[in-house]
Amino acid sequence: EIAQSEGVSGKDFCKHWVHNGFVNIDNEKMSKSKGNFKTLRSFGTAKDVRAFRYLVVTSQYRMPLNFSPDTLEGAANAVKKLDRFRELVLAVRD
């Protein structure tokens, strides 16, 4: 896929790649055939997309990632805390 994409476009496929274990939805393997898959577009808001990205990046890459409303909420809370910390740092800097 990378070779095909780069061959057609003449551009790098990506600069960074994040690997993770299987994504589970409520402790069940995510799959199209089961109909329990999610896309970033299905989250609806940029806040939820940021939370999902944080959840993936902070997960251990060799372990399955269990996605549920609770894990997404926890990730969203962590992103809020990071945003507040950033605001504090910027306020002190100015």
Side-chain angles (χ1 to χ4, degrees):
E1 292 145 352
I2 294 172
Q4 291 171 342
S5 177
E6 290 181 357
V8 170
S9 68
K11 298 179 181 177
D12 289 339
F13 184 70
C14 67
K15 293 183 188 258
H16 306 282
W17 186 263
V18 177
H19 176 75
N20 60 286
F22 288 115
V23 176
N24 295 329
I25 305 288
D26 291 323
N27 292 316
E28 186 175 13
K29 183 181 172 196
M30 182 171 75
S31 81
K32 285 184 181 179
S33 62
K34 291 182 181 181
N36 67 345
F37 68 95
K38 299 236 183 237
T39 64
L40 287 178
R41 286 187 184 97
S42 70
F43 285 99
T45 66
K47 178 187 89 166
D48 292 334
V49 170
R50 288 181 67 214
F52 180 76
R53 287 179 177 159
Y54 179 84
L55 180 63
V56 170
V57 168
T58 58
S59 68
Q60 212 286 339
Y61 76 97
R62 291 186 182 186
M63 301 295 293
L65 168 63
N66 186 44
F67 175 82
S68 69
D70 291 338
T71 58
L72 185 63
E73 183 179 342
N77 289 335
V79 169
K80 282 182 197 175
K81 289 178 184 179
L82 289 170
D83 287 342
R84 279 186 291 216
F85 178 72
R86 179 180 179 270
E87 289 172 11
L88 287 171
V89 168
L90 291 175
V92 168
R93 189 183 80 181
D94 294 336

